[in-house]
Amino acid sequence: MGSADRMRVAADICAEQAKQRPVAIVVSAMSKVTDLLLDTLRKAEAEDRAALVANLQNLEERHTQCCMDLLPAGKREPVLEGIRGIIAEFQRIAQGVMMLGERPPRSVDEAVAVGERLSALLMAAYLESAGVPAQAVNARDVVVTDPVFGNATPLMGPTREKARGVLCPLLEKGVLPVVTGFNGATTDGRPTTLGRGGSDFSASILASVLDATDLWIWTDVDGIMSADPRLVPNAKVLDEITYAEAAELAYNGAKVLHPRTLAPLVEKGIPVYSKNSFNRAVPGTKIAPKVDAPLGARAVTSMGNVALVAVEPADPELNSVMVMSRALAALATAGAEVLAMTSSSYRQNFCFLIRRDELPHAMAALETTFALELAHGYLKDFDVDEKVGLLAIVGEGMKGSPGMAGRIFTAISREQVNIIAIAQGSSELTIAIVVARDGLEKAVRAVHDECQLGN
Ligand code: ASP
Ligand code: MG
């Protein structure tokens, strides 16, 4: 959804597919628009009127320009009016934020969904102008979620009922629904969003409740790769990977899919194709329940924006399992996701890795939970290391192939990169390795080479 040109390509792809079978479309916002909306709300909160006005103007200009580029002269006016109407709604919320001097999460969710509403409006109008019957649909009316604003989870039963009620009649009439990605609403109609990058997740939710035969996610990369090509020049596109592998890669930092995308598809085994709209001839990556893959690792990912927190009892009387369970409960309340966790010697240090932006909340929660133990010296001060990075080697074929870990560690140590913590679950799907941040890129390249994952 980057520009009028990109929308045209997206519309062509959909129209072409719609000739063969019913198609439902999910759109994300135009590129950088969600960031712009969030920034505008922050500016409103800070009472920065000049910035607010400038941002609103920018928002209107981008979509107006896109409309002009996309539609013939006679068909623009109602769409321009639609754009102005949606932006006016956003402006009202932003003004409310300014008056309050704060950004209530549910208002933020209602406001940021505007990006997707604008692109759905434009996309549907373009399809119509090209002779393909289409209708913009606000996912507020089809995706039902819990009330966790900013990171809501769909309620699949109610979503199924609502989505089918709205979308099936359109599909039966041969009208292409253009549904907004990223947003939804609670059972009682309060607007929610599914987390950043959530349009992929919206699409998989709808694929599941519509019993789709397959889901196609069109982006600007050729598919899921064996490593980030900016770090590893000979990284290659993977033809096929399993749901489990794709989910691990997404959770461990590969940016190509929203991490929660695959869960709704697992039960029905709906395959996903990750494809490049700039390079349509390339087959992309198929994500399916099972694939014929070689033994060993499939891909390496990395995350640099993480922190390692170590917890260490100072008193042997302290029940360390209890400390662990309370620490995890504190992290869960703080909404921090544990990316990896390890513990070694009896009654000793255990550590976990979280995203750096979740660190302040997580530390506050830990300090509250253990206020007494810290004050009385039963627990040492938490040790936080922000100069670390996570490397994850993923592959279903690593299960039961001896020597994988040995080769990986040897490759990393050849680069003189120090390994700080290691985690591998018994599913042997992922080996997670925490290394010094400044050695992360080198380690990724070394492992990718050692496992011969590239071209
Ligand atoms: N527009 C939303 C975001 O930027 C959702 C998405 O693009 O998938 O996070
Ligand atoms: Mg996106």
Side-chain angles (χ1 to χ4, degrees), residues 103-164:
R103 289 167 293 150
R106 82 166 262 199
S107 305
V108 172
D109 276 7
E110 180 168 6
V112 289
V114 157
E116 273 70 13
R117 287 172 59 200
L118 289 165
S119 52
L121 173 71
L122 285 163
M123 178 82 160
Y126 175 68
L127 283 163
E128 285 268 329
S129 78
V132 182
Q135 186 178 314
V137 175
N138 189 341
R140 225 182 127 143
D141 302 322
V142 299
V143 175
V144 185
T145 73
D146 68 9
V148 178
F149 300 104
N151 195 25
T153 297
L155 308 176
M156 295 305 280
T159 299
R160 191 177 176 86
E161 205 173 304
K162 261 195 136 169
R164 297 185 76 91

Side-chain angles (χ1 to χ4, degrees), residues 26-35 37-38 112-113 115-116 119 181-183 193-202 258:
V26 174
V27 292
S28 64
M30 291 185 76
S31 48
K32 305 277 176 341
V33 163
T34 308
D35 290 329
L37 295 168
L38 287 167
V112 289
E116 273 70 13
S119 52
F182 186 42
N183 70 323
T193 58
L194 303 170
R196 291 307 306 274
S199 295
D200 298 344
F201 191 23
S202 304
H258 183 282

Side-chain angles (χ1 to χ4, degrees), residues 9-223:
V9 170
D12 284 352
I13 292 170
C14 298
E16 188 187 296
Q17 289 297 319
K19 283 187 202 138
Q20 299 158 37
R21 60 222 167 124
V23 169
I25 309 171
V26 174
V27 292
S28 64
M30 291 185 76
S31 48
K32 305 277 176 341
V33 163
T34 308
D35 290 329
L36 178 66
L37 295 168
L38 287 167
D39 179 65
T40 309
L41 296 175
R42 278 192 293 271
K43 295 286 160 46
E45 183 182 34
E47 245 191 288
D48 184 344
R49 280 166 214 273
L52 178 66
V53 171
N55 279 8
L56 286 169
Q57 213 164 23
N58 182 350
L59 188 67
E60 180 156 348
E61 267 164 28
R62 270 201 74 189
H63 291 91
T64 306
Q65 187 58 49
C66 182
C67 174
M68 304 301 254
D69 294 346
L70 213 47
L71 299 174
K75 304 220 159 143
R76 292 173 189 157
E77 208 30 62
V79 180
L80 290 173
E81 201 174 305
I83 292 173
R84 286 191 292 266
I86 293 174
I87 293 178
E89 274 181 52
F90 176 77
Q91 189 173 357
R92 272 197 295 281
I93 301 173
Q95 265 151 0
V97 165
M98 180 133 72
M99 265 163 56
L100 279 171
E102 65 172 314
R103 289 167 293 150
R106 82 166 262 199
S107 305
V108 172
D109 276 7
E110 180 168 6
V112 289
V114 157
E116 273 70 13
R117 287 172 59 200
L118 289 165
S119 52
L121 173 71
L122 285 163
M123 178 82 160
Y126 175 68
L127 283 163
E128 285 268 329
S129 78
V132 182
Q135 186 178 314
V137 175
N138 189 341
R140 225 182 127 143
D141 302 322
V142 299
V143 175
V144 185
T145 73
D146 68 9
V148 178
F149 300 104
N151 195 25
T153 297
L155 308 176
M156 295 305 280
T159 299
R160 191 177 176 86
E161 205 173 304
K162 261 195 136 169
R164 297 185 76 91
V166 174
L167 302 178
C168 291
L170 293 174
L171 291 168
E172 276 153 22
K173 277 188 293 190
V175 176
L176 268 78
V178 184
V179 186
T180 57
F182 186 42
N183 70 323
T186 59
T187 340
D188 55 350
R190 290 172 293 160
T192 53
T193 58
L194 303 170
R196 291 307 306 274
S199 295
D200 298 344
F201 191 23
S202 304
S204 77
I205 295 164
L206 292 182
S208 168
V209 299
L210 293 174
D211 300 325
T213 51
D214 42 43
L215 168 63
W216 294 30
I217 298 184
W218 292 88
T219 64
D220 55 2
V221 291
D222 282 342

